[in-house]
Amino acid sequence: MTEQHLAPFRMPDRLFAELAAGGGSAAAVAFLERAERARRLLLLRTLLNHLDALPTPLTPVAEAWRVLKEAAEESPEPVERLLLAPATGGWISHMLRRVHGTATGPPLWAEAGHLCALALAASLHAGTETALDVPLTSGRLPVPGLGMVRLPDAKEGLAVGRAMTSGGELTVEGPGSAAVTVRVTCRPLRQHAAAGAVTEGSSWLPLRALTHTGPDGTTPVTVVLEDLDPYRDLDDHLPPDRLDEDEAREWQRLFGEAVRILARPGPPGTGRVDPAMIRAIVPFGRTAVSPPPLPFVQVSASSGDSFGGMLIVRPASALALAETLVHELQHSKLAALLHLFPLLEDDRAERYYAPWRTDPRHLTGLLHGAYAFTGVAGFWRDRLAGAEGAEAVERAAYFFALRRLQSRLAARTLLTSGRLTVQGRALVSGLARTLDGWLREPVPPAALGRARTAAALHRTEWRLRNVAPPSSGSANPRFRPDRTSWPDVRTHAFAARPVAPRTADEQLAAGDAAAALARYAGQLATDPAEPHALAGWIVARAVLDPGRTTRRMLARPELLQPLPSG
């Protein structure tokens, strides 16, 4: 891992075109990863300059950095993987926020000591010898990319320990609970036992990985299932939280099935993911064996600081996991592009409609959503092409139709915002061309109708709940002071045609707009301004009478509501 001065990165036009279309070959993603490596080294050098004078009871950062660099010279590939791990990027950015006072956490010296843990991991890979003073939390020492040491009968809370490596062997000692020194020795690179073989109270917990067979049918590919690294979260320091064995097995089962879903033959394209591009999955929270279906589970999140990493609440199905992997990798690619190019001028004002959100978004958030959901539309396009059975065809057709329509609307908003740079306009224009081609592709009429209806319902309810009726003399729209978060139950409810519709929404999804209109009208008799029912009434009317009057109601539904109080 050398710190040579590199020439400016220049992305080949063909790679930018691939990414602008919403996809990206292995070569394009590899270019982004090289750029992220350079960025991390720059950020790390900036961080080390800040930490050089930090008072610490640990090994000074300059010495830890020396150990890490020497290990990189002996064994460059594993140390490169360590540097590019999503959690390493999370730590670097978190620490820069710490030194600038915009983040909080344990004592700064203890968080800076994570560099010692990185140096230990590098030394183990290289087989070098070193001895470092390290931070221990109740006897725990996470070793990035490998696992975690647990000292028996250790002193509770934060303490200083000593860690030594030699020939791939790791020895850690620290204060015990009875005012004595406790000590363990392990061989992390050899102790990759199956999770079930790790007994309660083991001094070494190996990092888990999700495995699958590569495209050639023989090469195994692993994706880290990260539940130990303290910098696996989007920002904050997070204590280790080991998964239960049954939860880990369920993750492996779902992941294996998701990989098979994604293994569609053909060239790289929008919505197609090689799982080898994913660096780590962070299981977020806990779920039951059968978690509730969307939208009642917060599915996923990612950070531009952690390229190739993603936090995911284990979803209800392998299909949902496969879709989430596509979605979050899109965010990683766009975040890396934003590190390379100024794509837009964003004043961060949250005033834009995002068809997949219930709240107004700023322009960067809208761009992220457009890029991610273009990938999701491509994912469902592939599912439609290979769907077997009427139910699978209807579901894939619905989500393909819905996400292509919503993403194109977001792209239009971006292109007309007047805030895109030259590169930003090229990127969004590429997305628009992809989506325009897809909008011409045939979709089963029933699924297409439900998708258009669901899109209209979401936008109408969004405006009713967020946009205030104009006050006298005001020509510009303004947001309601009483707006709150609301459950978007329709997007997923309209995925299938109800067999025996009972509610107004089900009647509308089944294509009986007249019955739905009457039922919505009954609900509005009690509360004329209730946004959910009013949105349904407006859209049902538009289906029955697609004239100028209903088009105006769809465009400005807030005109039918009274001014909010407050």
Side-chain angles (χ1 to χ4, degrees):
M1 183 172 55
T2 56
E3 295 181 271
Q4 72 270 26
H5 296 285
L6 300 175
F9 273 91
R10 300 190 184 280
M11 176 175 282
D13 290 344
R14 63 179 180 83
L15 298 186
F16 185 87
E18 289 177 10
L19 294 163
S25 62
V29 175
F31 183 94
L32 294 178
E33 193 166 54
R34 288 196 301 273
E36 286 295 292
R37 176 192 184 276
R39 176 177 181 269
R40 282 199 191 170
L41 286 174
L42 289 171
L43 293 178
L44 187 54
R45 172 45 58 192
T46 301
L47 175 61
L48 293 178
N49 289 339
H50 279 286
L51 297 179
D52 272 344
L54 176 70
T56 178
L58 308 176
T59 298
V61 294
E63 173 64 13
W65 179 239
R66 182 192 64 78
V67 170
L68 199 152
K69 287 181 64 178
E70 289 180 357
E73 292 171 1
E74 293 291 330
S75 189
E77 287 189 14
V79 180
E80 283 288 304
R81 290 196 300 270
L82 188 64
L83 175 69
L84 289 171
T88 302
W91 172 72
I92 294 171
S93 296
H94 172 77
M95 286 300 297
L96 286 170
R97 287 188 282 270
R98 283 295 313 265
V99 299
H100 287 100
T102 58
T104 60
L108 188 58
W109 63 263
E111 294 213 85
H114 190 69
L115 182 63
C116 294
L118 287 164
L120 286 173
S123 176
L124 287 166
H125 283 294
T128 57
E129 292 187 14
T130 190
L132 302 173
D133 293 323
V134 296
L136 302 175
T137 303
S138 299
R140 299 192 304 267
L141 175 65
V143 183
L146 294 173
M148 185 174 70
V149 174
R150 298 187 295 187
L151 293 178
D153 302 318
K155 177 183 176 182
E156 290 295 317
L158 191 60
V160 176
R162 185 78 167 166
M164 295 149 283
T165 64
S166 178
E169 188 173 83
L170 172 63
T171 298
V172 179
E173 60 184 32
S177 58
V180 296
T181 298
V182 290
R183 176 187 180 105
V184 298
T185 297
C186 52
R187 300 189 67 88
L189 294 177
R190 294 184 181 179
Q191 290 176 256
H192 290 299
V198 177
T199 60
E200 183 68 25
S202 295
S203 59
W204 174 250
L205 280 182
L207 189 64
R208 286 193 175 101
L210 302 171
T211 61
H212 65 93
T213 302
D216 61 2
T218 59
T219 305
V221 179
T222 61
V223 174
V224 171
L225 185 63
E226 181 60 84
D227 58 1
L228 296 176
D229 196 290
Y231 299 97
R232 64 193 186 277
D233 197 14
L234 298 183
D235 181 19
D236 294 333
H237 179 282
L238 197 65
D241 191 10
R242 189 66 163 178
L243 287 180
D244 298 334
E245 303 300 342
D246 57 348
E247 182 82 358
R249 283 191 293 270
E250 187 65 10
W251 267 105
Q252 178 60 63
R253 183 189 69 80
L254 282 175
F255 182 75
E257 292 179 10
V259 168
R260 286 190 287 275
I261 290 171
L262 292 169
R264 178 177 170 80
T270 307
R272 296 180 183 176
V273 165
D274 177 359
M277 297 175 180
I278 301 167
R279 297 290 171 256
I281 293 175
V282 178
F284 190 72
R286 290 293 185 271
T287 56
V289 174
S290 299
L294 294 172
F296 303 107
V297 174
Q298 179 63 43
V299 177
S300 61
S302 56
S303 167
D305 299 326
S306 306
F307 182 81
M310 49 196 74
L311 282 77
I312 305 177
V313 172
R314 179 167 59 80
S317 68
L319 186 65
L321 179 57
E323 179 186 11
T324 300
L325 298 179
V326 171
H327 182 113
E328 293 306 332
L329 193 60
Q330 290 289 97
H331 281 305
S332 275
K333 291 189 296 182
L334 182 63
L337 281 170
L338 284 164
H339 292 156
L340 288 172
F341 302 105
L343 297 179
L344 71 173
E345 299 170 1
D346 189 1
D347 60 8
R348 308 300 288 184
E350 296 183 332
R351 59 175 176 267
Y352 296 97
Y353 170 62
W356 35 80
R357 298 277 299 212
T358 64
D359 54 340
R361 293 292 281 159
H362 48 66
L363 209 60
T364 302
L366 185 64
L367 177 60
H368 261 285
Y371 197 79
F373 278 98
T374 297
V376 169
F379 169 82
W380 285 109
R381 178 173 177 261
D382 280 347
R383 305 288 78 70
L384 177 59
E388 297 180 359
E391 184 178 343
V393 169
E394 281 288 302
R395 181 176 181 82
Y398 168 81
F399 280 112
F400 172 48
L402 177 67
R403 297 313 189 190
R404 71 183 183 181
L405 177 63
Q406 292 176 327
S407 300
R408 187 60 180 91
L409 176 60
R412 184 178 70 184
T413 301
L414 289 159
L415 288 169
T416 58
S417 68
R419 292 180 173 271
L420 295 177
T421 64
V422 173
Q423 297 93 341
R425 178 165 287 275
L427 178 78
V428 180
S429 296
L431 292 181
R433 284 191 294 272
T434 295
L435 294 162
D436 286 342
W438 289 350
L439 284 166
R440 292 190 288 269
E441 294 183 5
V443 170
L448 179 61
R450 291 198 310 278
R452 289 173 172 170
T453 300
L457 285 166
H458 186 280
R459 181 186 178 277
T460 303
E461 188 167 356
W462 183 92
R463 290 193 69 94
L464 289 173
R465 292 184 182 273
N466 288 291
V467 181
S471 57
S472 58
S474 174
N476 297 320
R478 59 192 182 91
F479 290 108
R480 299 178 65 98
D482 61 344
R483 69 182 189 272
T484 59
S485 179
W486 50 281
D488 171 26
V489 297
R490 283 167 163 154
T491 293
H492 288 269
F494 274 62
R497 186 181 187 278
V499 176
R502 296 184 300 274
T503 67
D505 280 358
E506 289 173 351
Q507 288 167 334
L508 190 56
D512 192 348
L517 184 68
R519 194 175 289 271
Y520 288 130
Q523 296 172 13
L524 293 171
T526 304
D527 185 356
E530 200 286 309
H532 188 85
L534 184 55
W537 183 85
I538 292 170
V539 172
R541 272 204 62 184
V543 171
L544 291 170
D545 180 21
R548 183 176 181 181
T549 300
T550 53
R551 287 200 301 272
R552 290 181 64 186
M553 282 195 298
L554 281 173
R556 300 288 300 279
E558 66 273 9
L559 296 177
L560 299 180
Q561 280 195 326
L563 284 167
S565 59

